[in-house]
Amino acid sequence: MKVMRETIVSTARELFRSKGYAGASMNDLADAVGLKKSSLYVRFPNKEALVPAVLDLTLQETFGQRDSASGQWDDEFVEVIEFIATTLTDRGRCVGLHLAYGTSDETPIAKHAVRAFFQAHRDHLSSILSRAMPVDVARDIATDTLARLEGATAFVAIFGEKDAMKRAVRLSIEEAKNAAAAKSLSSR
Amino acid sequence: MKVMRETIVSTARELFRSKGYAGASMNDLADAVGLKKSSLYVRFPNKEALVPAVLDLTLQETFGQRDSASGQWDDEFVEVIEFIATTLTDRGRCVGLHLAYGTSDETPIAKHAVRAFFQAHRDHLSSILSRAMPVDVARDIATDTLARLEGATAFVAIFGEKDAMKRAVRLSIEEAKNAAAAKSLSSR
DNA sequence: GTAAAATACGACCGAACGGTCGGTTGTTAA
DNA sequence: TTAACAACCGACCGTTCGGTCGTATTTTAC
């Protein structure tokens, strides 16, 4: 009876999402995948090593199948942020942020993985936006977009409300289009 | 040698801020205030009871000394969100959100306290804004403002960057003023 | 089919967890 | 000053934590 590595990782992700790093135990994870705790150490040297695996899988799912430069920048931007917003709304918490808050200098590998996770998100959105506007503007909009989605997720988590997330998506799209239009005017 | 209750509560706040509910132990707290763990139970029946105390103190500090209707709505709005933004920037994490993510149905008292904390924040901002705009618009702007500040805090926590917070403050003020101006136009 | 490799289990380790309780010390009120 | 009360400590409890290791079982490769 062999449990797939990806099953362990995606299960760990949901545990980290709901309970955070400190609150999710290796025994929780073992129970959830139908193994005993010691079996997890065959695949992962320690608890901390689960974090990069979880975040890499999540990045792969978010951006992995997306063919960059496949269409209009704005369609692609909308598609990505709607994918992210839908995931966050459905799951009610952001695993990246829960891990960000739950890791520290005492878990350097995990901390670095979290930072890389958010950096990849920002870089990916920036690269889409920079097809339509200056790089520095694109970066700020990418940052603010992620911040809005993160903040709106808090309202999903706390109140079960989805309106803030809808507005966050709408405002982010508007902001991006306005910035692109402003560049369009200034380049005439 | 008597340790003040407020010292315990504000110390607990910083521990919950940095380590979350599960990650902060009663022994951490005892060490930090210079007591032994069992002494904490004289004042608090259990760990969970610390959460409402922490959040009530924070609300008191944020809104307690503010005289409502003391001036122009916009000055007051700016003052409050700048106070919140400064605190979040200085501390690098939002204790409310860390507790929100770290509490569940297993800690119902804490979960309820977190919800009340964010509700109080939203209500307070809404009441300021509703002096200048319809109640439903005020509520949405209050929500989006808090979401932006929350999201910008994530960038402080993860990257140590403050720019996103500055933009969040600026955009929130703009949004509020635009909404007030829109009401002003429509009422002529 | 068989041997080697991979996976899984159960028992174990030391440390830490939230919380309890009897005894001691410090503070307060009369 | 003294008694009552509050605060504090140290030892203790049962449980859980991350992780280790010898053995058993399953899977894989030839």
Side-chain angles (χ1 to χ4, degrees):
Chain A
M1 203 247 290
K2 182 174 169 180
V3 177
M4 286 179 56
R5 187 178 189 272
E6 187 165 307
T7 302
I8 296 172
V9 175
S10 64
T11 306
R13 175 172 62 192
E14 299 315 313
L15 274 169
F16 286 147
R17 189 193 299 279
S18 60
K19 298 186 172 192
Y21 186 74
S25 73
M26 295 300 271
N27 210 53
D28 289 337
L29 177 57
D31 285 347
V33 297
L35 293 179
K36 297 302 180 182
K37 185 174 58 167
S38 55
S39 308
L40 298 175
Y41 292 90
V42 173
R43 293 230 179 63
F44 299 94
N46 50 49
K47 184 178 180 181
E48 190 180 354
L50 287 165
V51 176
V54 159
L55 296 177
D56 289 346
L57 177 67
T58 307
L59 277 177
Q60 178 61 23
E61 290 180 358
T62 306
F63 302 120
Q65 302 105 343
R66 296 184 191 282
D67 191 4
S68 56
S70 64
Q72 293 277 65
W73 73 269
D74 48 353
D75 292 338
E76 196 178 337
F77 182 69
V78 170
E79 190 184 325
V80 171
I81 65 172
E82 290 202 341
F83 176 80
I84 294 169
T86 299
T87 302
L88 295 178
T89 303
D90 289 346
R91 300 294 164 78
R93 284 185 186 166
C94 172
V95 62
L97 185 59
H98 210 170
L99 286 172
Y101 266 30
T103 54
S104 64
D105 292 335
E106 287 168 40
T107 50
I109 291 170
K111 187 177 177 183
H112 180 261
V114 167
R115 189 174 168 134
F117 176 77
F118 280 95
Q119 192 66 274
H121 273 77
R122 181 159 60 176
D123 288 350
H124 193 96
L125 292 182
S126 291
S127 74
I128 297 171
L129 294 167
S130 61
R131 280 147 53 191
M133 65 190 74
V135 170
D136 55 329
V137 176
R139 183 170 178 276
D140 286 352
I141 290 177
T143 302
D144 294 351
T145 295
L146 291 171
R148 275 200 198 87
L149 296 180
E150 212 60 76
T153 304
F155 281 83
V156 176
I158 296 160
F159 298 104
E161 294 173 8
K162 301 178 185 181
D163 293 347
M165 184 65 84
K166 288 174 186 166
R167 288 196 302 276
V169 170
R170 206 193 73 224
L171 288 172
S172 296
I173 292 167
E174 265 177 39
E175 191 179 65
K177 288 183 177 177
N178 289 343
K183 184 200 174 186
S184 194
L185 283 174
S186 70
S187 61
R188 284 184 195 168
Chain B
M1 197 240 295
K2 183 171 170 179
V3 177
M4 288 180 52
R5 188 177 188 272
E6 186 165 307
T7 301
I8 296 172
V9 174
S10 64
T11 306
R13 176 171 61 193
E14 300 314 314
L15 275 168
F16 285 145
R17 189 193 299 279
S18 61
K19 298 188 172 190
Y21 186 74
S25 74
M26 295 300 271
N27 211 53
D28 287 339
L29 178 56
D31 284 348
V33 296
L35 292 177
K36 297 300 181 181
K37 184 173 59 165
S38 55
S39 306
L40 298 174
Y41 292 91
V42 173
R43 292 231 177 64
F44 299 94
N46 49 48
K47 182 178 180 178
E48 191 179 352
L50 287 164
V51 176
V54 160
L55 296 178
D56 290 346
L57 176 67
T58 306
L59 278 177
Q60 178 61 20
E61 288 180 0
T62 307
F63 302 120
Q65 301 102 343
R66 299 185 188 282
D67 192 4
S68 57
S70 64
Q72 294 275 66
W73 72 269
D74 47 354
D75 291 339
E76 196 178 337
F77 182 69
V78 170
E79 191 185 325
V80 171
I81 65 173
E82 290 203 340
F83 175 80
I84 295 169
T86 300
T87 303
L88 296 178
T89 303
D90 290 346
R91 300 293 164 78
R93 287 190 185 161
C94 173
V95 62
L97 185 59
H98 210 170
L99 287 171
Y101 266 32
T103 55
S104 64
D105 292 335
E106 289 169 38
T107 49
I109 291 170
K111 186 177 175 181
H112 181 263
V114 167
R115 190 175 170 136
F117 176 79
F118 280 95
Q119 193 68 271
H121 273 78
R122 181 159 60 176
D123 290 348
H124 193 97
L125 291 182
S126 291
S127 74
I128 296 172
L129 294 168
S130 62
R131 283 145 54 190
M133 68 191 72
V135 170
D136 54 330
V137 175
R139 183 169 177 278
D140 286 353
I141 291 177
T143 302
D144 294 352
T145 295
L146 290 172
R148 273 199 201 88
L149 296 180
E150 213 60 76
T153 305
F155 281 83
V156 176
I158 296 160
F159 297 106
E161 293 175 8
K162 300 178 183 179
D163 293 347
M165 185 65 84
K166 288 175 186 166
R167 288 197 300 275
V169 170
R170 205 192 73 225
L171 287 171
S172 297
I173 293 167
E174 265 177 38
E175 192 181 63
K177 289 184 175 178
N178 288 343
K183 185 200 175 185
S184 195
L185 283 173
S186 71
S187 61
R188 289 185 190 163

